[in-house]
Amino acid sequence: MIGTLVRNTLHESLNRRGGLVLLLGGMAIPFMIWLSSRFAVENGITVIYTVGSNRPEDAIRFAGAMLGALISVANDVWLPISVFALSGLMTTPLEKGYLEMLLARPLGRMRLLAGRTLGIILLSYLSIALMLVPLVSWFYAHVSFPLEGKFRALGVILLVYLIMISIMQLLAVLQPNPAVVVLASYAMFVVSGALRQRETMASLIDALWFKKSLEYIYYLMPKFPEMSRMVSRLSGNNPVDSWMPLWSSLLFALGCWVLTAWTFQRRSY
Amino acid sequence: MSLVVQTADLVKHYPHFRQPPTRALDGVSVSVEPGTIFGMLGPNGAGKSTFVKILLGIVHPTSGKAALLDLPAGTPRARRRVGYLPESMRLPEWMKPLAFLQFMGGLSGLDAGTARRRAGELLELVGLGGEKKVLKDFSKGMGQRIGLAQALLHDPEVLFLDEPTEGLDPIGRKDVCNLLLELRKRGKTIFLNSHVLSEVERICDRVMIVHQGKILKAGSMADLSSNRNEYRIVLARDGEDVRDAFSVELDARWEPAANGATAVVVRVAAANESPAAGRARLNQIIDRLREIHVEIESVAPQRDSLEETFFQLVGEAGK
């Protein structure tokens, strides 16, 4: 039954504007890079020509830089777009009139929630895969370059998406309205950005309780800017200063899942 | 014979911030036998939908017990044998009818092949065979038909239908009523929430009238469309001697009848008297009429219609 729900979510995504944007948009970026670039071998060295430039570039350097940029796009640009695209999919099965029909079926509420969530996670990962896998394969067919850092960065991105989806899922269960889910999710980005500047904020108000409260809230909340920096560093094969932003955000996501499950299980519809 | 539905002192209160809770159900105890069409009547907000939703596990009760097919109500195992059509149904607009029914079949535990076959059969049954439109383009009536189809998909033993004929044209209504009667013949138990009293009167075996979460009256159709202890007797002729035959009765109302005959509506027993006493008095009247050779064309008990009973009970409860 979970498989039925996952299939239905993917099927729905292909029939909704948001889902299509996510999948086709994910494919469009590598397609444009492929369309505007051409590999060639000159003096035994693989080079790449891009549209509008007659000067060959070193293919290894180009591929590394392009993948690094694409990974940053997947994290910094694609994440907010995904929030917008996935919000409708999150709230549809929770809408009054449809939810009753689903809840009257012989499957537990947790299974219903899990099936839908798995479908949404799969869809978001599919859009990242469509963005990165064809391009990596195309680059790798012509030149070989180190991918270890890129894979690590990708791993962090997948976790960041998981964190975002957990927040959206909780919001959808509390208030099944896509606009509310989008706005509140974007507010989380803003809050986590503001909390990164907590020291500046604390310097404005000279009260110990305020400083301490900010510090507690910072550790409690997801840390999107820090994770974005983490992705950039890993993608450039640089070491990460601290993994705390990632694991504390994952703990926050876990809290969101638990609260989502508890609310969904207990609520009367 | 085990009961399909059994509830004991079922209570559901919806809490409100700084306000008294809404009492959606207030101690409802009901038993429903298999193979019957059970109608639930009540004004908006009476608790009809809440009652059904508690049985299906969509709403959690505040207190009380509810069992469905001898299993605790609301469990997935109990729901496996149940079909449900919600009142304000919302369909996934992007889906086509066949795909929607296949999806619902999958969630009901049917394998893909069976779900496809059943979906096709049911689309034919509800008059949507060959329909290729997406659900977004469906009219209200078509939506209601597909809702009915999804409720029947896994051939459930019990059907909970909340306003199944809403939005349907008269022909559609008749078709649905006939379908429900056919399903009852096949041994299905049907729970029907409806505002259309004539429909309920026509097809239901038992009816429960609820108001503000309480049962006002429950029983068979005969119990609810209650005998008023009044009979309409059509006589071939009128006259002083005839009228004298009724002189001792509680109340007699004379009126002209068809073909020049005379009718008298006579109350044969007071409200606090048993129907048996009324019947005995009716027979005395008939004996007297026959003694004076008055030809009796017909004798018909006067009953309250379900509608009259409903308005009377709800009116009294609202006072």
Side-chain angles (χ1 to χ4, degrees), chain B residues 71-142:
Chain B
L71 295 163
T75 54
R77 263 186 74 205
R79 288 202 296 265
R80 194 171 283 274
R81 294 150 68 190
V82 167
Y84 175 51
L85 171 70
E87 184 185 7
S88 22
M89 185 180 50
R90 199 179 163 98
L91 296 165
E93 295 181 337
W94 56 275
M95 279 185 130
K96 289 190 176 173
L98 190 66
F100 170 66
L101 290 186
Q102 282 178 248
F103 168 56
M104 284 295 173
L107 293 184
S108 302
L110 301 182
D111 61 77
T114 312
R116 197 175 309 116
R117 182 178 55 77
R118 286 287 297 160
E121 286 171 4
L122 282 161
L123 283 175
E124 290 292 337
L125 183 74
V126 298
L128 292 173
E131 191 57 66
K132 301 281 184 229
K133 276 194 259 184
V134 287
L135 298 179
K136 185 176 75 175
D137 299 329
F138 268 33
S139 67
K140 172 96 177 137
M142 288 165 91

Side-chain angles (χ1 to χ4, degrees), chain A residues 95 105 107 109 266 268, chain B residues 58 60 79 90 108 150:
Chain A
E95 281 170 2
R105 299 279 145 191
L107 78 164
R109 289 189 180 199
R266 282 180 55 92
S268 291
Chain B
I58 300 169
H60 302 297
R79 288 202 296 265
R90 199 179 163 98
S108 302
Q150 65 80 29

